Amino acid sequence: MIALRDIKKTYDQRDQRIVALRDVTFDVDTASFVSIVGPSGCGKSTLLLAIAGLIPTDSGVIRIGNASPTEAKSKNELLGMVFQRPVLLPWRSVVDNVMLPVEILMENRSLPGNYTRYRERAQELLDMMGLSEFHHSYPRELSGGMQQRVSICRSLIYDPAVILMDEPFGALDAFTRQRLNRELLEIWEKSSKTILFVTHSLEEAVYLSDRVVVMSARPGTVREILDVDLARPRPAEVRNSPRYHELVARAYSYFQDLL
Ligand SMILES: Nc1ncnc2c1ncn2[C@@H]1O[C@H](COP(=O)(O)OP(=O)(O)OP(=O)(O)O)[C@@H](O)[C@H]1O
Ligand SMILES: [Mg+2]
């Protein structure tokens, strides 16, 4: 579903040139869950922004299905993104922020369906994310983690085939994070979506993923791809199993030099 070949990306910062990504090559199969882990600054957000067609690369090829990132961006039903910082419109209530992509896509006539049905779906998603009492609050009235949960709802509302998630659970407490890991897996198991997920938590990456792409420090490149052979569906207790711990230990072994 996503094919990346020899991606290179540099940034010019005043007097210096930063190589953020080099030779990044890997595939994400349709309906699979793939995580990216790597040290801070290794280019994970850069890679997601490039796949989403929001920044150009210097060289290399990115395909999403049969489309380039720019083509995929114009077909909004294909691709959704959760950014590292929640980007919510301050003048819109929580439920209206979740409904934003639906309104834009209906305006462009690229989304079929019934507005009221989507609004019900927005409310269901917010309830599921533990925000039942906050449908009509404004972003400034929410904590950082709550805002992030709103932006996760917004990425799920119109059911895109591919979702790119940049540390969506980074600002959450450990309990909410574990609960939302389960919720996300349930949504994914039911929906055959393709998810590319950036996280700093190796435990979270192993628990959620079919494959974990381990990146090197900047300039970021693929260091290893870890296949996670834990059976699915994965109840929370999987995290107590010896195989899970073995895989997490293997993931940590790639970062020995940072510990
Ligand atoms: N807009 C930009 N202009 C210039 N340099 C940038 C820009 N965005 C990122 N960089 C640089 O590119 C490198 C990779 O940044 P990026 O945000 O992709 O890393 P990351 O892996 O997502 O890090 P983190 O885990 O901390 O979120 C960094 O060295 C950063 O300074
Ligand atoms: Mg980042």
Side-chain angles (χ1 to χ4, degrees), residues 40-46 84 166-167 198 200:
S40 178
C42 77
K44 303 178 296 296
S45 296
T46 299
Q84 190 163 3
D166 195 352
E167 288 189 59
V198 170
H200 277 136

Side-chain angles (χ1 to χ4, degrees), residues 228-244:
V228 179
D229 53 6
L230 299 168
R232 293 202 190 262
R234 290 183 193 161
E237 298 73 53
V238 167
R239 291 182 134 153
N240 303 324
S241 72
R243 183 63 184 150
Y244 167 81

